[in-house]
Amino acid sequence: MDIFVATLLTEWELEELIPVFKENAIDEESLKLLDRDTLKDLIPQVGVRLKFQHRLKQLELNKQVGTNIPDYLQEVSKDENRTQPFVIILGDRRHPSQAFAIIERVTLPVCDLLEAVDLCFKSFFVLDINYPNQCSTSWEFVQRYIFQFGDGGKEMKSTSPSVRSLRTFLSQGTTS
């Protein structure tokens, strides 16, 4: 198991799967290859397996350069649980060669990942869409600390503890 998978399981609050994934050498590459039968063996508890499968579907692992975006979107549109808007990057995670914002099944090519995130974030407000549960704290952080505005009608009563902790951590790093 690599740091990517361990971090992912921790972010998804599925730390109990770390020993199983480590024992079975599930790294970033093999994570992409997991199928339903393998998951039944790895994660016998139905509730935990369903949570994992849902989060894995929501995770946009970067696609290889040359991925046919229209075909990919056609495949994604079959998934009724797929939330929009979302970002697709092609190429390496750290240095993507292309980025797209997907809004209402429309592909919008953008210059870079930052522009894709910016466009998706703004579309939540323009289209009056609530943040997807699985990434709501990430979008909340962008809203409160990058764009610096309150709830904006997004049904947030106060800043979540996760976002406050991240903000405190980042603040300490910049004042040293």
Side-chain angles (χ1 to χ4, degrees):
M1 181 174 69
D2 57 16
I3 192 91
F4 173 79
V5 174
T7 303
L8 202 58
L9 292 172
T10 302
E11 287 175 5
W12 290 349
E13 298 177 355
L14 294 170
E15 295 91 350
E16 69 268 22
L17 297 178
I18 291 175
V20 175
F21 277 56
K22 187 174 185 176
E23 180 182 322
N24 288 281
I26 304 296
D27 59 8
E28 184 175 357
E29 182 180 359
S30 57
L31 183 74
K32 296 175 186 179
L33 302 172
L34 290 174
D35 59 21
R36 289 185 186 266
D37 292 333
T38 306
L39 282 175
K40 282 183 182 178
D41 292 339
L42 277 176
I43 311 170
Q45 294 175 308
V46 175
V48 176
R49 184 173 60 244
L50 290 173
K51 288 177 187 177
F52 177 84
Q53 286 175 317
H54 178 71
R55 289 181 176 109
L56 187 61
K57 278 184 184 178
Q58 299 301 322
L59 175 68
E60 274 309 319
L61 296 171
N62 57 304
K63 299 295 176 190
Q64 297 300 318
V65 173
T67 298
N68 186 319
I69 297 297
D71 287 350
Y72 175 72
L73 290 178
Q74 197 169 32
E75 177 186 321
V76 167
S77 68
K78 295 174 187 172
D79 183 1
E80 295 174 7
N81 296 320
R82 183 66 166 142
T83 56
Q84 291 194 47
F86 61 95
V87 171
I88 295 177
I89 60 170
L90 299 181
D92 182 64
R93 264 187 310 147
R94 293 184 183 100
H95 306 287
S97 60
Q98 288 182 288
F100 302 91
I102 310 301
I103 303 169
E104 292 298 314
R105 310 272 187 249
V106 175
T107 305
L108 303 169
V110 292
C111 295
D112 56 22
L113 179 60
L114 183 61
E115 187 178 350
V117 170
D118 177 66
L119 190 55
C120 283
F121 174 77
K122 290 174 181 173
S123 69
F124 280 112
F125 284 87
V126 171
L127 300 173
D128 193 26
I129 303 170
N130 287 327
Y131 302 139
N133 289 335
Q134 61 275 12
C135 57
S136 63
T137 53
S138 300
W139 287 119
E140 181 189 352
F141 179 82
V142 170
Q143 175 185 322
R144 292 187 186 275
Y145 296 106
I146 295 179
F147 284 94
Q148 299 182 344
F149 62 92
D151 70 7
K154 292 291 171 210
E155 300 177 11
M156 288 185 281
K157 303 291 184 246
S158 64
T159 305
S160 68
S162 300
V163 171
R164 282 196 309 266
S165 296
L166 179 59
R167 177 63 179 168
T168 301
F169 174 77
L170 292 173
S171 295
Q172 292 170 349
T174 59
T175 58
S176 304

